[in-house]
Amino acid sequence: IELSDFEATENVVFLSGVVKNTPIILFTDKKKKKSKVLPTAFKGVAEVQSMETDTTAGEVNITFAVGKAKDYQLVVKSFDLNGMPTTEIQLDPEDGFAMLNGRLNTISANCQIMFGTYGYKNTIGTQKGPFSQGIYMTKINEHEINETKFYDFTDFKNFFAFLNPKQRV
């Protein structure tokens, strides 16, 4: 296994990694001295983007990037502190765009915000890699996506201020 992330809370540990190009999540309960691989079955290419502990909900949220260029999407799977799956949220991209990465944050018991960067789908899987075009925020109520707002980097007043005038054109 090639380990990439871990989260530890209370007496449990979540580890993410890759085995034979397949992402896995390993759950360990230190009190019970038991470990198990959590269900993460995806068709095609998938990788772990991020893993965060939500102490409010008592869960660990794991964001996966699934698919290639035209069918690329983010999927967030949440697991309780017993290693049981609780929710799965699929963030389907807009036409021509894809959500490149994201983090899920709890605002209240029923409301979460997912934020990250988005870019053009046709740059995913290229040698130069995906290019971020801006940031997005998605409001999620009761595990249902309510609205997504996209903010292009060019919309920010001073975003390119660090460039010299010739580079800004």
Side-chain angles (χ1 to χ4, degrees), residues 70-81:
K70 68 180 183 178
D71 63 344
Y72 183 91
Q73 68 178 10
L74 294 182
V75 175
V76 181
K77 289 189 175 211
S78 299
F79 297 89
D80 67 16
L81 300 183

Side-chain angles (χ1 to χ4, degrees), residues 38-49:
L38 301 179
T40 59
F42 293 107
K43 290 181 181 178
V45 178
E47 67 179 47
V48 173
Q49 284 283 327

Side-chain angles (χ1 to χ4, degrees), residues 73-137:
Q73 68 178 10
L74 294 182
V75 175
V76 181
K77 289 189 175 211
S78 299
F79 297 89
D80 67 16
L81 300 183
N82 293 313
M84 300 302 295
T86 56
T87 59
E88 181 175 315
I89 301 168
Q90 293 184 6
L91 291 122
D92 295 318
E94 301 284 318
D95 291 338
F97 290 102
M99 293 150 174
L100 302 176
N101 55 48
R103 292 192 176 266
L104 189 65
N105 292 290
T106 298
I107 304 301
S108 66
N110 297 324
C111 183
Q112 296 173 308
I113 299 288
M114 177 90 172
F115 67 93
T117 61
Y118 72 91
Y120 294 115
K121 278 187 193 179
N122 61 3
T123 64
I124 295 171
T126 64
Q127 284 183 329
K128 293 182 181 177
F131 297 111
S132 295
Q133 296 301 305
I135 58 174
Y136 72 90
M137 285 196 248

Side-chain angles (χ1 to χ4, degrees), residues 5-161:
D5 292 293
F6 78 92
E7 286 291 316
T9 184
E10 298 182 22
N11 286 304
V12 298
V13 178
F14 290 81
L15 298 166
S16 71
V18 178
V19 173
K20 296 182 182 178
N21 296 323
T22 303
I24 67 157
I25 306 299
L26 182 65
F27 169 80
T28 300
D29 185 323
K30 293 177 6 183
K31 273 188 178 176
K32 296 178 183 175
K33 297 182 181 178
K34 291 188 179 185
S35 295
K36 64 181 176 179
V37 175
L38 301 179
T40 59
F42 293 107
K43 290 181 181 178
V45 178
E47 67 179 47
V48 173
Q49 284 283 327
S50 66
M51 185 185 316
E52 302 94 26
T53 301
D54 180 345
T55 55
T56 303
E59 297 178 330
V60 171
N61 301 313
I62 304 165
T63 305
F64 295 88
V66 181
K68 291 185 178 182
K70 68 180 183 178
D71 63 344
Y72 183 91
Q73 68 178 10
L74 294 182
V75 175
V76 181
K77 289 189 175 211
S78 299
F79 297 89
D80 67 16
L81 300 183
N82 293 313
M84 300 302 295
T86 56
T87 59
E88 181 175 315
I89 301 168
Q90 293 184 6
L91 291 122
D92 295 318
E94 301 284 318
D95 291 338
F97 290 102
M99 293 150 174
L100 302 176
N101 55 48
R103 292 192 176 266
L104 189 65
N105 292 290
T106 298
I107 304 301
S108 66
N110 297 324
C111 183
Q112 296 173 308
I113 299 288
M114 177 90 172
F115 67 93
T117 61
Y118 72 91
Y120 294 115
K121 278 187 193 179
N122 61 3
T123 64
I124 295 171
T126 64
Q127 284 183 329
K128 293 182 181 177
F131 297 111
S132 295
Q133 296 301 305
I135 58 174
Y136 72 90
M137 285 196 248
T138 299
K139 186 177 181 181
I140 302 167
N141 281 329
E142 299 285 336
H143 308 294
E144 295 291 323
I145 296 172
N146 279 6
E147 63 180 301
T148 300
K149 292 190 179 189
F150 294 88
Y151 302 93
D152 193 296
F153 288 140
T154 60
D155 293 341
F156 296 108
K157 188 175 180 180
N158 292 314
F159 187 79
F160 297 105

